[in-house]
Amino acid sequence: MDDTLLLAARALVLADLEARHCATPEAVDALEDACANRGWWADQWPEGRVYVAGLVAQDVQDALFESVGRWPMCLSCDPEHPEHSLYIEPDIGGPSPQWVCEESARTIAPLGHLGDG
């Protein structure tokens, strides 16, 4: 498989981890594991390569939920709302993954661009 696919996915998710000050060693390890697993997955299903970046983000999100809690948190809603996180849409992760607020269903940012606003 072409490594540029995984490097691009890694860069997008790492940018979002850094934007939310969550690029800890544990988070980066989760990112590396997700990239390795999705690389194998993309080799098995070449047509699914357009979904890799979003799926890597979801894998990191799942890994962090189990160890440190929710990521990324929504910073766009009124403070009166309970603390809640963002999720990747479309659900399978592609072909143009975006972070969406789980409370308002509002699109917050494309994957890799949480720090752009």
Side-chain angles (χ1 to χ4, degrees):
M1 181 177 79
D2 182 8
D3 285 341
T4 38
L5 175 73
L6 290 175
L7 289 173
R10 184 186 185 283
L12 291 171
V13 177
L14 185 58
D16 286 343
L17 285 165
E18 289 174 341
R20 295 297 175 88
H21 309 288
C22 293
T24 63
E26 183 175 10
V28 174
D29 284 346
L31 175 57
E32 297 300 333
D33 290 345
C35 286
N37 292 333
R38 291 302 172 176
W40 176 88
W41 179 86
D43 281 340
Q44 303 306 305
W45 186 42
E47 299 81 21
R49 290 180 178 176
V50 296
Y51 305 110
V52 167
L55 291 171
V56 166
Q58 289 174 336
D59 292 346
V60 170
Q61 194 173 34
D62 290 346
L64 292 180
F65 183 76
E66 292 178 12
S67 60
V68 297
R70 293 194 233 184
W71 170 84
M73 299 304 293
C74 180
L75 304 177
S76 299
C77 286
D78 188 322
E80 292 179 16
H81 286 286
E83 189 174 78
H84 58 280
S85 56
L86 305 176
Y87 65 93
I88 288 288
E89 189 175 89
D91 199 27
I92 193 168
S96 298
Q98 309 175 81
W99 290 111
V100 175
C101 172
E102 71 179 16
E103 289 287 317
S104 69
R106 182 177 52 215
T107 299
I108 303 303
L111 178 62
H113 296 275
L114 281 177
D116 292 356

